[in-house]
Amino acid sequence: MPKISGQTQLLGVIGDPIEHTLSPEMHNAALEYLGLNYIYVPFWVKPQQLAGAIAGLDALNVVGFNVTIPHKEAILPYLADVSDLAQQVGAVNTVYRSEKGWVGTNTDVHGFLAPLQQQTYPWSEIAVLVLGYGGAARAVVTACYNLGCRQIYISGRQGERLEAFVTSWPWRTLYPLAWSERATCLEKVSLVVNTTPIGMSPHRDATPLTGEDLARLPDTAIVYDLIYKPRPTLLLQLAMARGLQTLDGLAMLLHQGAAALEYWIGQPAPTAIMATALETALGTE
Ligand code: NAP
């Protein structure tokens, strides 16, 4: 716990609910390690209080903040400026100050890409399957589009919402796939991304794809589950048993946080310290 003084600067995260966030552990460990007189706190902000909360954060001279469910899209009209990337995604997860006022950006795209970019893979030649069409899926689809992926199949359980999600971008490489049809593209797909909460603790025995489904993937495919509790999920256990490369959500969580911290403090984030803090926090839950 840092010593709080008259010079202590404030960072935080707004969301509803907010009590399960791991961001304070990750950011406060980094700030302490760097010897900076900052503190990062969770703010429980209900949807009807969003406008007041943003004005209040400004009035209280908060340096910057993260944005999580359900405010990532709703916050857009309240910002003085929105980065090109956040506009492309249609969602903001990080807010920092400029002379004009609050600026929104999106570091989830960077977080998602960080573990993928550590490997050489012919991204522009591959097809991707994204399961789910919520907030995280917006960052994933934008990231896959920017990687140049040839086809991006998106599957979700409500037809109208799926269609609205796909048509919210002008890109021709996006293909909606009914939830009951989600396994039909697997022979063609080299990256599967689960952005649904299926398999998240405490529902550890749930999986959006079965072992039989995964058998249809090419041997070189990667299965990426954005869930970080449990590690690994049943989906990733099945993918490992099939001999596929797997990625869980911890690296995304870490790298979106590191990128956000760099906006606020203007220096490189200590990612190893942040990773340890996350692993410790997850281990004690
Ligand atoms: P969200 O906006 O609520 O979206 C969830 C999506 O999952 C929606 O499309 C929802 O469809 C779908 N879904 C939920 N239950 C389903 C089911 N039983 N069958 C089929 N589809 C189902 O949530 P989010 O912010 O995108 O987060 C989604 C997941 O990603 C969570 O597990 C979260 O922890 C994880 N996440 C991880 C990171 C990271 O840094 N690793 C970052 C963000 C999110 P309906 O709308 O039809 O219910």
Side-chain angles (χ1 to χ4, degrees):
M1 180 71 184
K3 185 173 174 291
I4 295 173
S5 68
Q7 280 99 46
T8 303
Q9 307 223 56
L10 259 182
L11 297 167
V13 53
I14 61 169
D16 176 26
I18 199 63
E19 66 266 29
H20 298 301
T21 180
L22 297 178
S23 293
E25 268 95 344
M26 167 170 65
H27 286 294
N28 286 320
L31 294 164
E32 196 174 346
Y33 174 79
L34 294 171
L36 297 175
N37 192 358
Y38 283 68
I39 187 159
Y40 182 107
V41 292
F43 296 110
W44 179 23
V45 175
K46 294 190 171 179
Q48 62 273 26
Q49 304 283 2
L50 182 60
I54 293 164
L57 291 167
D58 185 24
L60 292 171
N61 272 313
V62 166
V63 173
F65 58 96
N66 282 128
V67 184
T68 189
I69 292 176
H71 306 309
K72 284 186 173 184
E73 294 167 53
I75 196 171
L76 284 157
Y78 301 108
L79 301 169
D81 204 0
V82 177
S83 72
D84 289 347
L85 182 62
Q87 285 183 38
Q88 200 186 18
V89 177
V92 160
N93 81 319
T94 300
V95 178
Y96 61 93
R97 283 184 181 277
S98 77
E99 282 174 10
K100 284 197 261 176
W102 290 128
V103 181
T105 190
N106 191 302
T107 66
D108 283 335
V109 173
H110 170 79
F112 171 73
L113 288 176
L116 292 177
Q117 285 174 327
Q118 283 167 11
Q119 38 202 307
T120 45
Y121 210 79
W123 301 114
S124 61
E125 291 164 28
I126 71 159
V128 181
L129 169 62
V130 179
L131 298 166
Y133 46 56
R138 294 203 72 83
V140 169
V141 168
T142 305
C144 292
Y145 176 79
N146 290 345
L147 275 178
C149 298
R150 200 164 36 85
Q151 285 156 325
I152 304 170
Y153 297 99
I154 301 152
S155 189
R157 58 183 174 176
Q158 296 183 58
E160 272 182 30
R161 294 188 63 183
L162 174 62
E163 204 58 42
F165 179 87
V166 170
T167 55
S168 68
W169 288 283
W171 309 326
R172 293 181 174 198
T173 43
L174 310 188
Y175 300 89
L177 203 54
W179 190 246
S180 57
E181 304 287 309
R182 64 193 182 283
T184 58
C185 65
L186 290 175
E187 279 90 355
K188 294 180 265 181
V189 160
S190 300
L191 174 65
V192 175
V193 188
N194 177 36
T195 78
T196 77
I198 302 170
M200 186 159 76
S201 186
H203 306 290
R204 292 168 181 246
D205 55 356
T207 174
L209 293 171
T210 63
E212 213 172 292
D213 295 332
L214 297 175
R216 299 163 77 164
L217 284 166
D219 292 344
T220 53
I222 301 171
V223 180
Y224 193 157
D225 197 334
L226 300 199
I227 293 171
Y228 45 80
K229 196 179 169 200
R231 298 175 72 208
T233 56
L234 178 55
L235 173 68
L236 295 190
Q237 290 175 41
L238 294 170
M240 285 172 203
R242 156 81 172 75
L244 300 171
Q245 196 188 146
T246 59
L247 293 167
D248 66 41
L250 199 73
M252 176 173 174
L253 182 65
L254 168 67
H255 288 284
Q256 64 76 29
L261 190 63
E262 289 174 9
Y263 274 105
W264 301 322
I265 63 170
Q267 58 177 290
T271 48
I273 298 292
M274 296 167 84
T276 305
L278 283 176
E279 278 162 8
T280 306
L282 280 168
T284 57
E285 283 209 352

